[in-house]
Amino acid sequence: MGVILVTSRSFSDGDLDLVQRASRAGHRILRGPAHHELEELRSLLHGADAWIAGTGPITDEHLAAAPRLRVIARYGVGTESVDLDAARRRGIPVTNTPGANADAVADHAIGLMLAALRFVPDGDRRVRSGDWGVRRGRELGAATVGIVGFGRIGQGVAKRLTGFGCGVLAADPFLSADAVRANGAEPVEIDDLFRRADLISLHAPGGQLLVDAARLASMRRGSIVVNTARGDLIDETAVAEALRDGVLAGYAADTLHGDTAARHSPLLTAEFADRVTVTPHLGAQTTQAVDNMGSLSLDDVIAVLKGAEPVHPVTAR
C-alpha cells in the first residue's frame, strides 16, 4: 500500500470520491496543510510515497524530508512553487493537470471583468448600507481587452469575449502569430498591449513581474486590470498608486501576493474598497474543475506507483 500525501484543500471535494478510488488502487490518502510549512509537514512527508500538492512551496528541504517520495502531482497547472531542479536531481517526476480548470478560470475572469466594469461588489455593499445611488459603468463589448498569456485559459477567455463583441489583443512569447489569430485575438507585443487595451486580463505563469509602474503609466487612463493567475505578476504598491491617480479605474483579482498570507496588501485597505475586488483564489473552484484536477493528479500518482509513466509529466523521470 502506498501513502499519498494530499495538501490540496479541495481534493475529492467534488462529485467524485477520489479517496475511495485511491483505496481501490491499494493506496491510503493522508491529509496535510495547504500552506506546506515544513515543520508541520515533516512527519507526514517522511512516510509519503506520493504527494498531491496545492500551490504551497515545495523546496529541496521538503524533498529531503521525504525519503520514500516517488512522485509529486501538482493539483493545478502552475509549477513555479516547485523546485523542479531539486526534484529532477532526486529522480522524482513532477506532474500537473493541464486544462483541468481552464473553463472554470476563464469563466471567473469574465465575471471579474463585469464586476469591475459595472461596480457590482461596491453596488451590493452600498445597497446593504441603504445607499441606492447609481455609479455609471461601462459595457464589456465597448472595450479592447488585452490578454497576457494565451494558453488554454487565455484562449478560453477570448472565446467567451466573442459573444460580447470586444476587440481582443493577446501577447504570448510562446505562440506564433498565426496561432493567436486562429484563437480569436490580434497578436501584439506585451508593451503594445498595455498601451492599447482598456482592460487587461493576466493568464501568464508566476515568477515574473508583468505589471509594474512603467507599464501602468503607459496604459489608457481609466483602464482595468484583472488577475486570475498569480499574485506575484503585479507590483501591488504600483497598482495602488495607479488607482489613486486614476490611471486605473479598477483592479480585480483572484489572489494577492502571498495568497492566504496577503493580509497587509495595500489593495485591501478601505481606501480602495470601491475599486478593488479580490476573491479568495476560487477561480478553479467549480465542482467540474475540482473533479478534473483531482482525477488527473491521482491517475498520474497511481501510474507512477505502479511503475508506469505519468501522462502529464513536467519533468522527466
Side-chain angles (χ1 to χ4, degrees), residues 27 94 225 239 247:
H27 306 299
V94 177
V225 173
V239 168
V247 173

Side-chain angles (χ1 to χ4, degrees), residues 142-158:
T144 296
V145 178
I147 299 174
V148 180
F150 208 54
R152 289 180 177 88
I153 297 172
Q155 291 173 22
V157 171

Side-chain angles (χ1 to χ4, degrees), residues 20 128 171 295:
Q20 185 180 69
R128 292 174 188 275
S295 292

